[in-house]
Amino acid sequence: MLLFYPKPYSQETLLSFIYRVAREHEMSNLDWIFELIEEKFSIKVAPERVNWLMGDELKSIAEFLGITFGEAEKLTVYHHFERNHIEVRKESKNNWFLYKKTRFCPLCLKQGGYQRKSWINCHSIICVEHNIMLLDNCNRCFNIQNAKSIILDECAICNNKLSNSPINSNFPNKFIEYQRILNQILEKNQLLSLNAWIEDPATFLVALDFLTLWAVKMIPIEEFSIPKYKMNFKGNILERNHLRNYRTVEQAACIYSYVFNILNNWPGEFKEFIKKAEKHNDEAFRSFIKYGIPRIINTPLWEISKSFTNYLAIEKGNLTGNQYLRSDEVKFLYPKFNGSITNSSLIKSKKISILNCNLTVVNKKELASFMNQFENSYTKEELREIWGTSAKATFSILNDGHIKGAFWFKSGSAYNWVIPKSSLSYFEKKVKQGSLKTIDNPTSFNEAVGWISPDKAHLLIRNILKGSIKYAYDSNEFSELILDKRNLYFQIRDEIFKSSEKTEVISFRDISFLLGIKKSDIQYWIKSGRFGEFGHDGTNVIPFQNFIDFQDRFITTLELAIKLNLQIKQVIKKYTLGKLISISGPQMNDGKRLLFLREQ
């Protein structure tokens, strides 16, 4: 149990508060307080994890310290990640707050020994209260400090008094401006005005580290040093492809002031940054183009990608204006299209090569103007859903040009269709105008398509629009349009005959439709000689003349039903009663289908 309960200071860290409570209870070893916590709540917490606590562990710590859960939460750093919707994958390697180490202001320590949250912020460089640079190590032994050292005001290695450390008040004014923005984010989660596209704290922090990461990869390190103020950027702040959790104050001051200048003078300084990067490191710059830029499309950092595109268009493509898009950005602005539309003849585009990276750019205004013509449009997939038709049938109808203004562009092997809504409405209205109330031999559109083949769906539409096929259109779904089956048969038969006369062959699929038989029946009648003699090459076609000769001699069950306007079962019943005589079929051990002589 604690004897008394101090209160935390504004912007103090939770670890600092725990150590301060231990010091005010005159514990000779400040870490003993963690033994008391473990004894009371059976939780063992490493000091470096304290500032990252959440949930039940944090509730127990708050109860032990005599503060509310809400007060404890504000002392942690997760509080900042949650309100800015920033994800932390590994606490010890995060980009935002130091995990074990700390910075400090000697003058603040003289006023009162506690750790400010800004001191463990990876981006912090200045104490704006005293206008001096923060320190992160002992000036005597150069040991890097931690929270306990701050509370004790002494170096853990050499016991040097940290508040007596020499101070540095010689630094650029932009350091103060930069630090004030950081402090405003930490204290109030507000962002002071910076540029036109960074509007919230999370975007500023993410943009700061995104450009910092690529800057240290692509720019000569001497560019970050500030000789006038005797500040030299040295050492490595990268861990593989990420920023290290710990950067020295001098490293942070050099690199973040460099990137802050880019953000604060956007887009002019960004353009200069890209020029330097292109000249310095080919491999890193190619990686930036291939992996860095594409990952920020459709994120709060998209403006960086757009500015890079403008640089390509103007500096490398010799284009005018400042509003361009790359092909990989198009689909995020216009979901109906993907980047391949910029490679089609529909859109004027420019191919640009930079360091063996081939990119396509398009004028944003021209693209927007083009898209405005088709903003009220459907894709083929959406039309299929509206109509209830198959992919092949829908393609057949579209490809026959029945919907005015519909067009396609190719992406790989796929056809991407754009169908204006107004044209579709006009088309459907036109179809409804010829609708009848009743149909004698009804079959649905989809059943008809399955019967004649999806590839011939356009033939149905042609004859519907010509008035050659009787139909009723009472449903909203095109697939439920009711057709006259007998009428349909004769019209499609004529279409097939016209086509086959030109090619001089007829396909098995068309024969199946016309005769009402299967492929195996066709093959059987070829072998039995009923389709006459011809050199069959294994393809699914036979000479059209042979088919005509067959029809002159024979007639199938389906043809009889259509000719006599009967149901197929009625034709079979006549055969069973002996009114029709078949010359083939199962009973004669001659194939599986009934076949009659036409002369009957």
Side-chain angles (χ1 to χ4, degrees):
M1 289 287 293
L2 297 177
L3 299 177
F4 51 91
Y5 295 90
K7 288 294 180 182
Y9 296 123
S10 175
Q11 292 303 307
E12 184 173 15
T13 68
L14 183 58
L15 181 57
S16 167
F17 181 51
I18 290 176
Y19 275 142
R20 190 162 57 79
V21 169
R23 186 191 64 188
E24 294 189 21
H25 280 78
E26 298 184 354
M27 296 182 187
S28 58
N29 182 348
L30 300 188
D31 286 320
W32 286 349
I33 195 167
F34 290 105
E35 295 179 14
L36 294 178
I37 293 171
E38 183 179 1
E39 183 179 329
K40 182 173 177 61
F41 297 102
S42 300
I43 57 171
K44 189 168 186 177
V45 181
E48 60 267 20
R49 283 217 64 246
V50 167
N51 291 329
W52 300 83
L53 293 178
M54 298 184 295
D56 291 339
E57 286 183 315
L58 185 59
K59 286 179 183 176
S60 298
I61 296 291
E63 181 183 336
F64 178 82
L65 296 171
I67 59 177
T68 68
F69 178 75
E71 288 175 314
E73 200 172 37
K74 288 181 180 179
L75 300 178
T76 68
V77 296
Y78 260 128
H79 169 66
H80 299 277
F81 292 110
E82 288 177 350
R83 70 187 185 185
N84 286 314
H85 308 291
I86 296 173
E87 181 183 358
V88 178
R89 293 184 179 178
K90 193 170 184 179
E91 296 164 0
S92 61
K93 295 182 182 294
N94 82 93
N95 287 339
W96 318 99
F97 288 95
L98 298 173
Y99 190 62
K100 289 185 177 181
K101 304 173 176 64
T102 188
R103 294 163 184 162
F104 64 93
C105 167
L107 298 184
C108 286
L109 289 184
K110 285 185 184 294
Q111 293 176 343
Y114 72 95
Q115 184 188 54
R116 281 71 166 165
K117 201 173 283 185
S118 62
W119 294 357
I120 63 167
N121 185 283
C122 295
H123 304 92
S124 289
I125 56 176
I126 294 285
C127 171
V128 294
E129 182 180 348
H130 298 106
N131 283 355
I132 65 172
M133 288 278 292
L134 295 177
L135 303 177
D136 53 15
N137 58 36
C138 170
N139 66 295
R140 183 185 295 171
C141 71
F142 305 108
N143 176 51
I144 299 169
Q145 302 307 302
N146 58 29
K148 187 161 64 171
S149 302
I150 298 300
I151 301 303
L152 295 172
D153 190 18
E154 65 178 25
C155 173
I157 301 298
C158 68
N159 299 324
N160 177 39
K161 197 169 182 64
L162 299 178
S163 59
N164 289 336
S165 301
I167 61 176
N168 176 14
S169 57
N170 182 32
F171 46 76
N173 289 333
K174 63 181 177 181
F175 283 14
I176 292 286
E177 182 186 356
Y178 163 77
Q179 188 65 49
R180 280 179 177 158
I181 288 177
L182 285 181
N183 289 358
Q184 188 82 352
I185 292 173
L186 283 169
E187 295 168 17
K188 299 180 180 179
N189 198 36
Q190 295 175 352
L191 180 68
L192 297 175
S193 179
L194 188 65
N195 63 34
W197 63 274
I198 296 182
E199 299 178 344
D200 57 79
T203 302
F204 172 72
L205 295 173
V206 174
L208 191 68
D209 274 355
F210 175 81
L211 288 177
T212 297
L213 173 67
W214 287 101
V216 294
K217 290 181 177 183
M218 298 192 297
I219 302 294
I221 59 171
E222 56 268 19
E223 288 285 335
F224 307 128
S225 297
I226 312 174
K228 180 180 177 181
Y229 296 94
K230 298 180 180 178
M231 300 185 71
N232 296 310
F233 182 84
K234 53 189 177 183
N236 183 21
I237 67 169
L238 292 180
E239 185 173 354
R240 293 185 179 178
N241 291 316
H242 303 281
L243 294 173
R244 283 182 175 175
N245 173 255
Y246 174 70
R247 305 86 142 172
T248 68
V249 172
E250 191 168 26
Q251 285 176 332
C254 288
I255 188 63
Y256 286 125
S257 62
Y258 181 88
V259 173
F260 178 68
N261 184 53
I262 294 174
L263 296 175
N264 205 24
N265 295 280
W266 194 272
E269 287 299 324
F270 177 72
K271 176 181 172 182
E272 296 304 313
F273 164 68
I274 294 298
K275 283 183 178 180
K276 290 175 184 176
E278 186 182 354
K279 292 177 182 177
H280 176 62
N281 191 324
D282 287 1
E283 185 178 348
F285 192 62
R286 271 194 294 270
S287 182
F288 178 68
I289 296 170
K290 288 184 176 180
Y291 308 111
I293 287 294
R295 288 177 182 170
I296 59 175
I297 298 174
N298 205 30
T299 75
L301 303 189
W302 197 353
E303 185 60 34
I304 297 175
S305 174
K306 291 175 182 176
S307 294
F308 176 72
T309 305
N310 286 334
Y311 171 82
L312 284 178
I314 297 166
E315 301 295 324
K316 300 299 176 183
N318 297 317
L319 300 174
T320 58
N322 61 355
Q323 292 290 317
Y324 290 91
L325 288 171
R326 297 190 315 278
S327 57
D328 56 334
E329 295 176 298
V330 170
K331 63 183 177 182
F332 295 98
L333 281 174
Y334 304 99
K336 289 182 183 294
F337 300 89
N338 59 33
S340 65
I341 195 171
T342 60
N343 296 317
S344 72
S345 59
L346 301 168
I347 300 290
K348 184 180 177 182
S349 62
K350 173 90 173 181
K351 290 186 178 358
I352 298 172
S353 180
I354 178 169
L355 295 180
N356 297 321
C357 297
N358 298 315
L359 304 165
T360 302
V361 300
V362 61
N363 186 291
K364 187 177 179 181
K365 289 183 179 179
E366 290 180 10
L367 181 62
S369 176
F370 172 81
M371 295 304 180
N372 285 339
Q373 300 175 46
F374 299 98
E375 61 180 353
N376 292 316
S377 64
Y378 295 114
T379 63
K380 188 186 80 172
E381 289 67 33
E382 289 171 331
L383 181 60
R384 280 187 60 200
E385 189 173 340
I386 294 167
W387 277 357
T389 48
S390 69
K392 284 186 177 181
T394 308
F395 176 80
S396 173
I397 296 166
L398 289 172
N399 204 41
D400 206 40
H402 293 295
I403 300 178
K404 186 179 180 181
F407 70 93
W408 60 266
F409 60 95
K410 201 171 183 182
S411 175
S413 59
Y415 289 85
N416 300 275
W417 281 90
V418 180
I419 303 121
K421 292 181 180 179
S422 58
S423 297
L424 180 64
S425 178
Y426 175 79
F427 169 78
E428 291 179 342
K429 184 179 179 181
K430 190 175 178 182
V431 172
K432 285 184 177 179
Q433 287 174 349
S435 174
L436 301 176
K437 289 185 178 181
T438 58
I439 297 298
D440 294 333
N441 301 286
T443 186
S444 73
F445 183 84
N446 270 1
E447 288 171 341
V449 166
W451 186 26
I452 71 171
S453 167
D455 294 333
K456 286 187 169 56
H458 65 285
L459 296 179
L460 292 177
I461 301 300
R462 278 188 198 175
N463 284 279
I464 284 172
L465 293 175
K466 287 193 301 183
S468 304
I469 295 178
K470 298 175 184 178
Y471 63 94
Y473 193 9
D474 297 325
S475 172
N476 289 327
E477 282 202 1
F478 204 73
S479 59
E480 295 303 317
L481 186 142
I482 303 301
L483 308 177
D484 186 300
K485 189 171 183 179
R486 190 164 183 268
N487 181 218
L488 177 157
Y489 176 84
F490 287 119
Q491 291 301 324
I492 300 303
R493 180 178 180 275
D494 287 347
E495 296 279 0
I496 291 173
F497 274 31
K498 287 176 187 175
S499 174
S500 297
E501 282 173 357
K502 291 179 182 178
T503 60
E504 297 183 351
V505 294
I506 184 168
S507 69
F508 282 14
R509 183 66 180 83
D510 287 343
I511 295 172
S512 293
F513 163 70
L514 293 171
L515 302 185
I517 59 177
K518 294 181 179 180
K519 181 179 179 179
S520 58
D521 301 314
I522 299 170
Q523 291 170 329
Y524 177 79
W525 286 345
I526 289 173
K527 289 179 181 178
S528 64
R530 288 199 171 95
F531 277 116
E533 294 184 4
F534 62 94
H536 186 55
D537 57 4
T539 58
N540 291 328
V541 296
I542 68 170
F544 183 55
Q545 186 57 51
N546 288 48
F547 175 77
I548 295 298
D549 293 341
F550 173 89
Q551 280 218 312
D552 288 341
R553 296 168 57 206
F554 307 111
I555 189 167
T556 62
T557 306
L558 172 71
E559 288 180 293
L560 271 172
I562 295 290
K563 185 175 182 65
L564 301 175
N565 199 16
L566 299 172
Q567 298 291 327
I568 288 178
K569 62 184 178 181
Q570 291 177 302
V571 175
I572 294 174
K573 187 173 182 180
K574 285 180 179 292
Y575 163 73
T576 304
L577 296 173
K579 293 181 180 181
L580 291 172
I581 301 171
S582 174
I583 62 167
S584 74
Q587 291 184 355
M588 300 175 185
N589 198 27
D590 186 8
K592 297 179 180 180
R593 297 287 171 181
L594 299 177
L595 188 63
F596 307 94
L597 290 173
R598 190 170 289 271
E599 64 184 15
Q600 284 189 71

